[in-house]
């Protein structure tokens, strides 16, 4: 596959890095030579200095021979223009645009018909959905949907004193009994482990498990994590995401406050929201937080555009007694660092964009893809009627090393498979794969069926 990426910022960088690690043919276009140099220092891809809106530059990038254009700059307008010219030069090309403005996304059908944008990604929507999941399951530090939300993949830390510490996965399955709990991956010292039954859960592990949505609370209780919904939330930062989150929470039985230090922006927010209490204040000001009785709030969500301010406000809120702080970060590299200072619930619009994009990049009937740190992905794939996998038992499939079939959804039933289970047409396979094994998984899933 050849992919042309317009935009070498955080989103473009991480998409290029993951595609390059799979030996895909990647060209990255950006006007800023400094960000292009960063890409060259970290991966083996082609870079092109210039505007992704330029037909000449797109031609030089090989647009007519590419399989996909990914327009992922921070500008909706540039992304739209890049897709417009790409459509003129290569009408059959798959085009994906990162667009955040609702005034544009509301015209998705017209954009698809007019300039051939087949896929629109709005990372702000994904971030809000992730935060809603975290509020529902406070023990989760990472939570994503598969199978249209029916299946959840959830990351949770094993903290000192957790009853699961020292338990092998084989014993964990026995203890779980009838509960459909699958441990998908263990992250230990930033290394992703594809587990076997003999692996043991240790203090400090980040454990990713898969379960049905209806069993989420039961699984959290079994794993020794606190659970339960939160009833009072303070959002710090009244930008697009803060406003979108407040609107979403107004539909739930949650008391919401929204704080922003710009009085003019607060006036706009007050006019846009119904039940939310809008406050003028600085989330990094201890006196302002004390005045709002921050210690009595269940959750603080720091959503400003400045990640240093978000980190400081979250730390301050926790110091003043708030039990849970959710922090927005833009730089994905910061994520391992902030946990070291006590912040475990992190959301990133850019990482959400990367995850949303990859489910459309994958081949072989892949419906969705979720990153597990930098080392693995959880894939959801539909087995087509002509797939070579149909009629084969799992034990007879030569999946690459570092690949685990987590579960199978057959009609409305979720099956925890054994090696004897036989794949049927229409099955949805949920597969964990180390990054280096993904090309092999894609090839296996693509055999005997049309590639999309």
């Amino acid at each position: 596959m050849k992919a042309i990426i317009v935009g070498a910022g955080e989103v473009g960088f991480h998409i290029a890095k993951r595609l390059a690690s799979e030996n895909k043919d990647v060209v990255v276009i950006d006007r800023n030579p400094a960000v292009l140099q960063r890409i060259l220092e970290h991966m083996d891809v082609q870079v092109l200095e210039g505007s992704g809106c330029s037909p000449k530059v797109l031609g030089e990038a090989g647009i007519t021979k590419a399989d996909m254009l990914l327009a992922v700059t921070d500008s909706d307008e540039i992304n739209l223009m890049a897709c417009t010219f790409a459509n003129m030069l290569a009408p059959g090309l798959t085009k994906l645009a990162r667009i955040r403005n609702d005034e544009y996304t509301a015209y998705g059908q017209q954009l698809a018909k007019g300039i051939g944008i087949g896929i629109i990604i709005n990372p702000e929507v994904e971030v809000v959905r992730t935060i809603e999941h975290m509020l529902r399951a406070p023990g989760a530090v990472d939570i994503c949907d598969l199978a249209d939300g029916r299946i959840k993949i959830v990351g949770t830390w094993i903290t000192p004193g957790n009853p699961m510490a020292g338990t092998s996965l084989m014993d964990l399955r026995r203890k779980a009994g009838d509960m459909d709990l699958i441990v998908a991956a263990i992250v230990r010292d930033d290394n992703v482990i594809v587990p076997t039954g003999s692996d043991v859960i240790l203090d400090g592990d980040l454990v990713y498990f898969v379960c049905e949505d209806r069993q989420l609370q039961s699984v959290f209780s079994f794993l020794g994590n606190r659970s339960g919904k939160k009833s009072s939330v303070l959002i710090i930062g009244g930008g697009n995401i803060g406003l979108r989150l407040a609107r979403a929470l107004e539909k739930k039985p949650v008391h919401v406050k929204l704080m922003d230090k710009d009085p003019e922006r607060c006036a706009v927010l007050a006019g846009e929201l119904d039940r939310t209490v809008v406050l003028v204040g600085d989330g990094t000001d201890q006196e302002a937080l004390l005045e709002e009785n921050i210690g009595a709030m269940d959750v603080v969500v720091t959503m400003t555009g400045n990640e240093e301010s978000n980190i400081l406000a979250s730390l301050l809120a926790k110091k003043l007694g708030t039990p849970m702080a959710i922090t927005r970060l833009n730089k994905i590299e910061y994520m391992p660092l902030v946990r070291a200072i006590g912040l475990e619930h992190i959301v990133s619009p850019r990482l959400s964009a990367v995850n949303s994009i990859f489910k459309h990049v994958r081949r072989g009937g892949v419906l969705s893809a979720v990153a597990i740190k930098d080392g693995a992905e959880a894939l959801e794939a539909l087995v087509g009627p002509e797939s070579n996998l149909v009629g084969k038992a799992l034990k007879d499939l030569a999946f690459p090393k570092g690949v685990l079939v987590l579960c199978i959804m057959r009609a409305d039933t979720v099956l925890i498979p054994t090696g004897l289970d036989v794949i049927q047409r229409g099955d949805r396979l949920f597969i964990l794969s180390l990054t280096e094994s993904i090309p092999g998984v894609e090839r296996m899933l693509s055999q005997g069926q049309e590639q999309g």
Side-chain angles (χ1 to χ4, degrees):
M1 184 182 73
K2 177 173 182 176
I4 297 175
I5 301 171
V6 177
E10 286 289 307
V11 175
F13 177 90
H14 284 276
I15 294 170
K17 183 179 179 182
R18 284 167 66 177
L19 290 177
S21 71
E22 300 166 21
N23 297 315
K24 300 287 198 302
D25 187 1
V26 181
V27 182
V28 182
I29 302 172
D30 202 286
R31 302 177 72 170
N32 186 340
V35 295
L36 293 177
Q37 183 59 37
R38 179 192 177 210
I39 282 184
L40 287 174
E41 290 172 355
H42 286 84
M43 64 197 82
D44 183 17
V45 302
Q46 182 183 344
V47 300
L48 194 57
E49 186 178 340
S51 172
C53 298
S54 165
K56 179 182 177 183
V57 173
L58 290 172
E60 291 174 0
I63 192 74
T64 58
K65 296 181 180 179
D67 298 290
M68 177 173 283
L69 176 85
L70 307 170
V72 294
T73 75
D74 284 335
S75 167
D76 291 354
E77 290 74 20
I78 289 176
N79 296 338
L80 288 169
M81 287 299 295
C83 290
T84 299
F85 283 111
N87 193 56
M88 294 178 184
L89 298 170
L93 180 75
T94 299
K95 291 169 284 292
L96 181 150
R98 175 191 180 196
I99 299 176
R100 293 170 292 184
N101 191 328
D102 288 338
E103 292 182 5
Y104 295 140
T105 56
Y107 290 88
Q109 291 184 349
Q110 290 88 336
L111 290 172
K113 184 177 180 180
I115 57 178
I117 299 180
I119 304 153
I120 293 176
I121 299 297
N122 188 336
E124 295 178 356
V125 173
E126 297 300 323
V127 165
V128 169
R129 184 177 294 119
T130 298
I131 293 170
E132 290 181 287
H133 287 334
M134 286 180 173
L135 295 178
R136 181 183 166 207
V141 294
D142 197 1
I143 183 165
C144 300
D145 288 338
L146 297 170
D148 302 319
R150 169 80 182 273
I151 303 292
K152 293 284 191 290
I153 182 163
V154 184
T156 184
W157 291 103
I158 303 299
T159 54
N162 188 296
M164 294 299 107
T167 304
S168 71
L169 298 197
M170 196 176 299
D171 288 338
L172 187 70
R173 289 284 313 145
R174 281 196 287 263
K175 291 179 181 178
D178 295 333
M179 190 181 301
D180 292 333
L181 168 65
I182 307 117
V183 175
I186 298 172
V187 181
R188 183 175 297 155
D189 299 326
D190 288 330
N191 295 315
V192 180
I193 300 170
V194 178
T196 65
S198 61
D199 280 299
V200 175
I201 296 172
L202 303 178
D203 279 342
D205 283 350
L206 176 55
V207 175
Y208 281 85
F209 64 86
V210 175
C211 69
E212 291 189 69
D213 179 70
R214 62 185 177 84
Q215 290 194 326
L216 188 61
Q217 297 300 331
S218 298
V219 169
F220 267 107
S221 297
F222 171 72
L223 292 176
N225 284 305
R226 63 191 186 281
S227 60
K229 299 177 182 179
K230 300 300 186 180
S231 60
S232 59
V233 178
L234 171 64
I235 304 167
I236 296 174
N240 291 340
I241 301 180
L243 174 58
R244 192 183 293 271
L245 176 60
R247 282 174 174 161
L249 294 181
E250 283 189 335
K251 300 174 183 177
K252 303 178 184 298
V254 178
H255 178 62
V256 186
K257 294 182 179 181
L258 176 56
M259 178 182 288
D260 195 279
K261 59 185 177 182
D262 182 349
E264 293 184 5
R265 178 61 179 169
C266 286
V268 172
L269 294 169
E272 293 279 341
L273 297 165
D274 297 324
R275 294 176 42 240
T276 301
V277 177
V278 179
L279 308 166
V280 179
D282 185 347
T284 63
D285 182 345
Q286 180 169 312
E287 293 302 320
L289 295 179
L290 287 171
E291 190 173 319
E292 294 305 322
N293 196 19
I294 190 69
M297 302 295 292
D298 291 324
V299 186
V300 167
V301 186
T302 55
M303 287 285 114
T304 77
N306 184 302
E307 53 204 343
E308 287 79 10
S309 294
N310 292 338
I311 292 170
L312 180 58
S314 291
L315 288 172
L316 189 56
K318 293 195 74 172
K319 177 187 173 185
L320 296 175
T322 306
M324 181 178 180
I326 300 174
T327 310
R328 171 188 174 181
L329 288 183
N330 292 323
K331 291 187 176 67
I332 298 172
E333 288 86 353
Y334 279 16
M335 289 187 176
L337 302 176
V338 294
R339 181 178 180 259
I341 58 174
L343 301 179
E344 295 183 346
H345 295 84
I346 307 299
V347 293
S348 167
R350 289 168 179 170
L351 185 58
S352 294
V354 172
N355 279 334
S356 298
I357 287 165
F358 260 80
K359 71 180 178 183
H360 301 291
V361 170
R362 294 292 171 223
R363 297 188 165 191
V366 172
L367 304 175
S368 58
V370 175
I372 305 296
K373 296 300 182 183
D374 284 333
E377 282 185 34
L379 306 173
E380 173 191 354
L382 179 66
V383 179
E386 306 302 322
S387 171
N388 287 353
L389 302 181
V390 173
K392 293 184 179 178
L394 291 180
K395 66 181 178 62
D396 297 327
L397 298 179
F399 277 116
K401 185 179 179 181
V403 175
L404 177 67
V405 177
L406 301 170
C407 59
I408 299 171
M409 179 177 282
R410 183 169 296 158
D412 288 330
T413 303
V414 176
L415 308 173
I416 298 178
T418 69
L420 299 176
D421 282 296
V422 176
I423 295 175
Q424 300 179 12
R425 58 177 54 88
D427 281 351
R428 289 193 189 191
L429 300 183
F430 298 88
I431 300 169
L432 183 89
S433 174
L434 294 178
T435 301
E436 60 266 25
S437 301
I438 286 174
V441 174
E442 287 183 309
R443 283 192 295 272
M444 288 190 66
L445 294 173
S446 299
Q447 289 172 356
Q449 64 183 33
E450 291 185 358
Q451 298 184 21

